[in-house]
Amino acid sequence: MRHWRFGAIALSFLLATLPLHTTAATDPAPVEEVARTGPVTHLPLPRYVSMKASKGNVRRGPSVTHRIDWVFMRRNMPLQITAEHGHWRRVVDQEGVGGWIHHSLLSGVRTVLIQADMLDLHMRPNENAPVSAQLEMGVVARLDQCLPDWCRVAVSGYKGWAPKTALWGVDPSETRD
């Protein structure tokens, strides 16, 4: 009888404190943004890179034993690294398609994908500045300098400034000298 009585007291205590624990669990504490870095390179995650090779197998997991899901066939295509494991990087393209690719197929050279058809490249980072060229949607351009709202890009000898919102391969808050 003593054992049961102890159990009833413990159960009463648990039931009495349960609402406090439940309330605390449903009120999330503010979470601070913590910059993530890759466990291998200690570089920021996510980050942008480009394809060094003209062909790259994208696998389901981080080894050659994993099945090939995709083959990226465009040299200099911008990709976003979202994870690292040994010599492997998990990447996604502008459509969110991706998987694991060997690091030797990637380059730190930054490129962007033009996401607006007949995008005007301006001589200065200003909508009213003279236009130096127009780029078709899907063109890959080399990324140069970035200000809060504009980036300077270069492709096939043409250079100019484009709004960040028309480019994939650069973060909205990213600046570059």
Side-chain angles (χ1 to χ4, degrees):
M1 189 62 123
R2 202 168 206 209
H3 181 69
W4 176 84
R5 196 163 213 222
F6 176 75
I9 293 170
L11 182 59
S12 298
F13 176 75
L14 178 64
L15 291 175
T17 60
L18 187 59
L20 294 175
H21 294 298
T22 304
T23 304
T26 58
D27 294 336
V31 177
E32 288 185 33
E33 278 291 316
V34 178
R36 285 187 347 152
T37 59
V40 178
T41 63
H42 303 291
L43 293 172
L45 287 178
R47 68 179 179 277
Y48 290 97
V49 295
S50 60
M51 279 286 296
K52 185 189 306 184
S54 57
K55 181 180 176 184
N57 293 334
V58 182
R59 298 180 179 272
R60 199 164 278 193
S63 77
V64 292
T65 60
H66 286 89
R67 184 176 136 193
I68 297 170
D69 284 335
W70 304 98
V71 178
F72 286 148
M73 302 283 290
R74 193 165 183 189
R75 190 170 201 265
N76 297 323
M77 181 175 70
L79 298 169
Q80 185 180 49
I81 295 178
T82 59
E84 302 177 344
H85 181 79
H87 294 295
W88 296 86
R89 306 295 176 261
R90 187 171 57 208
V91 297
V92 294
D93 68 5
Q94 81 282 359
E95 295 174 355
V97 172
W100 292 90
I101 192 165
H102 196 269
H103 76 95
S104 65
L105 301 174
L106 302 174
S107 169
V109 174
R110 294 289 301 279
T111 60
V112 291
L113 191 65
I114 305 303
Q115 294 198 296
D117 199 25
M118 301 312 292
L119 175 68
D120 290 336
L121 289 188
H122 296 271
M123 294 181 141
R124 291 182 309 282
N126 182 316
E127 193 68 39
N128 298 322
V131 174
S132 60
Q134 288 185 319
L135 302 178
E136 292 180 0
M137 184 183 302
V139 166
V140 173
R142 187 167 182 149
L143 183 63
D144 187 17
Q145 183 180 359
C146 284
L147 302 175
D149 297 321
W150 292 81
C151 288
R152 188 167 191 247
V153 298
V155 60
S156 300
Y158 296 99
K159 295 178 183 178
W161 292 87
K164 261 189 203 176
T165 55
L167 308 173
W168 189 89
V170 62
D171 284 326
S173 61
E174 183 176 354
T175 57
R176 293 171 50 96
D177 290 329

